[in-house]
Amino acid sequence: MLDTVIFELAGRPVLLMDLISSLLGLTCVFLAGRNSKYNFWVGYLYTAALFILFWNKNLYASLLLQPISLAINIMGHYRWTHPKPEEQSAQDSGSLKVSMLSWPERIMSIAAVLVVAFVWGWTLDQLFPADPHPYLDSCVTVLILLAQMLSALKKWDCWVVWLIVNVTQIILHISVGNVFMPIVCALYLVNGLWSLATWMKLYRREMQTPDTK
């Protein structure tokens, strides 16, 4: 059933599972960009859909990362809805406010991405030698995990990382001849730009609101 071909795009089949996972992913990031805590409930479904998708396509390297994504989603759900007193939004005390990484934190994040991506890329190269871009794939994967973690902490910087991921994924998919996924990634890119501006407004609003707690 999930392997049912819904339609073809440029001669390539688009499966029902591809469409379901794409719609769930787009809905999840759209809600996150609108500062809605309900993005996490969709995120649980999205993680499950990706697990099934990767299992059916024998993409075990990506499959193994889904439990990590699930853990980040659970942590983010809790952090967004149970902020510490100093992290509460001025508009809603039960909601985590938008904040930013400091420059030292950004430098540390970049260094961590490079180190982990190299180790994971080497591991992929050893376990899955058929992968044509093991280090690039691993870098994108680690960036996705970083973006998820920053989003879970409601850091504005997460959208900068998502934009890098989206652009890289568009290039990767086009390079291997995919047609459907570059379109999906382009939609992610548009949402990322919109969310970048939206969260900046939320951040500035928090900065301008007197702390009355």
Side-chain angles (χ1 to χ4, degrees):
M1 178 65 178
L2 295 177
D3 291 333
T4 302
V5 177
I6 303 301
F7 57 88
E8 290 191 359
L9 197 60
R12 289 180 173 268
V14 176
L15 306 180
L16 176 61
M17 197 65 226
D18 295 330
L19 187 60
I20 291 175
S21 60
S22 297
L23 289 175
L24 286 172
L26 287 168
T27 303
C28 182
V29 296
F30 175 82
L31 291 174
R34 309 290 79 72
N35 195 30
S36 171
K37 62 184 178 183
Y38 295 108
N39 81 86
F40 293 105
W41 293 110
V42 180
Y44 297 134
L45 297 176
Y46 181 48
T47 300
L50 287 181
F51 191 92
I52 297 171
L53 177 67
F54 294 142
W55 179 275
N56 288 339
K57 293 188 177 183
N58 299 318
L59 298 174
Y60 299 116
S62 297
L63 179 70
L64 293 173
L65 291 171
Q66 295 317 302
I68 301 176
S69 293
L70 177 60
I72 293 175
N73 200 55
I74 293 172
M75 184 269 287
H77 197 172
Y78 182 83
R79 293 286 284 114
W80 275 42
T81 55
H82 296 79
K84 298 175 183 178
E86 67 273 14
E87 298 174 332
Q88 293 175 353
S89 170
Q91 283 68 47
D92 179 6
S93 61
S95 178
L96 182 68
K97 67 181 180 181
V98 175
S99 58
M100 283 189 182
L101 292 177
S102 64
W103 277 107
E105 289 173 332
R106 289 169 180 166
I107 293 172
M108 288 179 61
S109 297
I110 294 172
V113 166
L114 293 176
V115 172
V116 176
F118 177 81
V119 173
W120 183 243
W122 181 87
T123 303
L124 288 181
D125 195 31
Q126 301 302 309
L127 298 177
F128 308 100
D131 189 336
H133 309 291
Y135 290 97
L136 185 56
D137 287 346
S138 65
C139 188
V140 172
T141 300
V142 175
L143 283 172
I144 290 174
L145 292 176
L146 174 62
Q148 290 177 339
M149 179 62 72
L150 294 177
S151 178
L153 299 174
K154 203 178 274 193
K155 297 292 184 181
W156 171 86
D157 310 74
C158 75
W159 296 110
V160 176
V161 182
W162 278 126
L163 292 178
I164 296 173
V165 169
N166 298 150
V167 172
T168 305
Q169 285 186 323
I170 290 173
I171 296 172
L172 275 175
H173 285 301
I174 292 177
S175 70
V176 297
N178 289 336
V179 179
F180 177 65
M181 287 310 299
I183 296 174
V184 174
C185 290
L187 294 175
Y188 277 118
L189 185 63
V190 172
N191 180 76
L193 290 169
W194 186 9
S195 301
L196 190 76
T198 300
W199 278 34
M200 176 58 74
K201 291 179 181 177
L202 292 172
Y203 173 75
R204 288 174 175 169
R205 187 185 305 164
E206 294 289 351
M207 294 297 292
Q208 293 171 356
T209 303
D211 188 359
T212 57
K213 301 182 183 66

